[in-house]
């Protein structure tokens, strides 16, 4: 069965542009993949921050972890399994203060696991996540996507690439505070283009 993983990182539950656009994208993906199941991960529900037990535990073989370390990694293990199972990933991440929301960074910290989603080699780390279509919905009030002030989209691309995902499509509704109608129109066009680019996947 095809799985679509929807990840919402906005702190807003009402009037959120990224939530609206991720919903639209997931709906469109569902139309072309009628057998798909949608798994929703709302980061507003809470993502644990890394602590000492989790950080130390990730560096140890599973059989050598203490009970506290095992417990500290329960949520991370579940998030990694959920992420690896997805055939399509739709991530909504507004730009807060020039970068991603803290919840998105916390989520990335939980799924970046040596031996599970990447591995170390003699030369450089290698991603272990099989490539899959990944749509990153970004909204901003006053930061232009791709501008010198946008530290969010390069970071997300770098992180996903680090895990092995290169099939990344950015859907941007930027500069909303200046011309929301134009920004939403651009985002709609980018959704069409992203889905067309991955229609054969």
């Amino acid at each position: 069965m095809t799985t679509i993983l929807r990840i919402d990182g906005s702190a807003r539950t009402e009037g959120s542009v990224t939530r609206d656009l991720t919903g639209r994208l997931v709906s469109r993906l569902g139309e072309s993949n009628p057998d798909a199941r949608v798994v929703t991960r709302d980061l507003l529900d809470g993502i644990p921050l890394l602590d000492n037990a989790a950080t130390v535990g990730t560096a140890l073989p599973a059989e050598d972890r203490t009970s506290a370390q095992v417990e500290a990694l329960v949520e991370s293990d579940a998030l990694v399994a959920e992420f690896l199972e997805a055939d399509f990933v739709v991530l909504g991440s507004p730009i807060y203060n020039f970068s991603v929301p803290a919840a998105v960074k916390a989520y990335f910290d939980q799924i970046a696991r040596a031996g599970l989603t990447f591995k170390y080699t003699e030369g450089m780390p290698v991603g272990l996540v099989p490539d899959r279509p990944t749509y990153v919905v970004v909204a901003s009030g006053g930061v232009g996507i791709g501008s010198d002030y946008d530290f969010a989209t390069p970071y997300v691309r770098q992180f996903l690439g680090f895990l092995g995902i290169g099939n990344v499509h950015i859907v941007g509704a930027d500069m909303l505070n200046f011309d929301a109608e134009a920004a939403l129109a651009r985002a709609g066009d980018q959704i069409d283009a992203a889905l067309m680019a991955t229609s054969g996947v």
Side-chain angles (χ1 to χ4, degrees):
M1 176 181 290
T2 301
T3 299
I4 302 169
L5 175 60
R6 172 182 176 173
I7 307 161
D8 283 307
S10 175
R12 301 180 64 173
T13 56
E14 298 178 6
S16 168
V17 171
T18 56
R19 287 178 185 271
D20 178 67
L21 292 174
T22 55
R24 194 187 311 179
L25 244 169
V26 168
S27 179
R28 294 277 299 278
L29 282 171
E31 291 172 5
S32 53
N33 298 274
D35 67 327
R37 70 183 185 108
V38 178
V39 175
T40 300
R41 174 64 58 176
D42 191 338
L43 304 186
L44 195 59
D45 292 338
I47 292 291
L49 299 179
L50 292 179
D51 59 14
N52 182 68
T55 304
V56 174
T58 59
L60 297 173
E63 62 272 16
D64 293 339
R65 292 171 188 155
T66 66
S67 58
Q69 291 163 351
V70 170
E71 179 63 27
L73 291 171
V74 166
E75 182 73 5
S76 176
D77 290 340
L79 292 172
V80 168
E82 181 180 83
F83 190 81
L84 290 173
E85 192 175 68
D87 299 288
F88 298 91
V89 176
V90 179
L91 167 65
S93 178
I95 294 178
Y96 290 168
N97 301 312
F98 311 109
S99 191
V100 299
V104 173
K105 176 60 166 65
Y107 176 79
F108 285 173
D109 287 344
Q110 292 292 339
I111 66 170
R113 293 278 301 276
L116 296 178
T117 54
F118 73 95
K119 66 179 180 179
Y120 292 108
T121 65
E122 291 183 4
M124 58 186 296
V126 174
L128 296 177
V129 179
D131 203 2
R132 75 283 308 275
T134 300
Y135 312 90
V136 180
V137 176
V138 182
S140 75
V143 173
I145 293 173
S147 72
D148 291 342
Y149 301 101
D150 171 19
F151 300 103
T153 53
Y155 167 63
V156 173
R157 280 191 183 277
Q158 170 66 29
F159 178 79
L160 293 171
F162 175 76
L163 298 187
I165 298 176
N167 192 358
V168 178
H169 304 267
I170 303 294
V171 173
D174 58 349
M175 310 293 282
L176 285 161
N177 290 343
F178 298 94
D179 192 340
E181 185 176 350
L184 294 174
R186 285 194 302 273
D189 291 342
Q190 290 166 14
I191 287 175
D192 292 339
L195 292 174
M196 184 173 295
T198 56
S199 60
V201 177

